[in-house]
Amino acid sequence: MSPPIRQRWWRAVMCAASLAIGGCSQPPATEARNTGKELEALVEQYFDELLPLDPLFATFIGDPRYNDRLANDLSPEHIARRRELEQRFLAQAQAIPVEALGEQERLTHDIFVRERTTALKRLSFPGQLLPIDQLY
């Protein structure tokens, strides 16, 4: 082979190899970004669904949408709704592939899962049976 043909052949081989290698790998940044957005949307949805169940907290953080409500958080219906909320969001969070998340998103995921797990453990304790006084 003459030098120009050899150079073209070598370029063609290198181009084909780089396309083959590039085509085999998956873009982790795009996957992490999509999974991160899914996690962000999940956390936002949880927060939006939590506020109607805890209107005093909503008022405390400055959200006036629920100022006309006072939750009876000792009733069996409220406890059941809260348990369902926690279980549903825990299951959704655990379905997100952690390995596809970035470092900060993984931290958010771990904290979110831990908080949902802790809330479910707290709901298993019959706190509604404790006596109520002026300090609650």
Side-chain angles (χ1 to χ4, degrees):
M1 284 187 196
S2 65
I5 294 175
R6 184 178 293 155
Q7 287 176 348
R8 279 189 258 154
W9 179 80
W10 185 248
R11 285 183 190 156
V13 168
M14 292 304 290
C15 183
S18 66
L19 288 174
I21 291 171
C24 291
S25 65
Q26 296 180 2
T30 305
E31 185 178 334
R33 199 172 308 128
N34 292 340
T35 307
K37 294 288 183 190
E38 180 184 346
L39 176 64
E40 182 181 341
L42 181 69
V43 171
E44 287 294 324
Q45 182 183 359
Y46 172 80
F47 189 71
D48 288 341
E49 290 188 32
L50 175 68
L51 292 180
L53 291 177
D54 197 350
L56 290 177
F57 176 67
T59 301
F60 181 75
I61 63 170
D63 189 342
R65 293 180 290 172
Y66 308 103
N67 284 351
D68 62 337
R69 300 180 193 174
L70 183 62
N72 180 5
D73 56 355
L74 300 177
S75 71
E77 296 82 18
H78 179 84
I79 294 169
R81 284 195 306 266
R82 185 67 185 257
R83 181 176 286 116
E84 186 274 328
L85 177 80
E86 301 296 345
Q87 288 172 338
R88 183 166 38 98
F89 279 94
L90 177 61
Q92 289 176 9
Q94 289 174 332
I96 294 175
V98 179
E99 59 278 350
L101 296 172
E103 186 177 336
Q104 289 296 321
E105 294 161 340
R106 189 173 295 191
L107 180 63
T108 300
H109 179 271
D110 292 347
I111 291 171
F112 187 74
V113 167
R114 187 189 72 208
E115 290 296 315
R116 304 296 58 80
T117 304
T118 302
L120 285 169
K121 287 179 183 176
R122 188 174 53 246
L123 287 169
S124 67
F125 179 76
Q128 71 276 15
L129 300 179
L130 292 173
I132 298 175
D133 60 10
Q134 72 275 16
L135 300 177
Y136 187 77

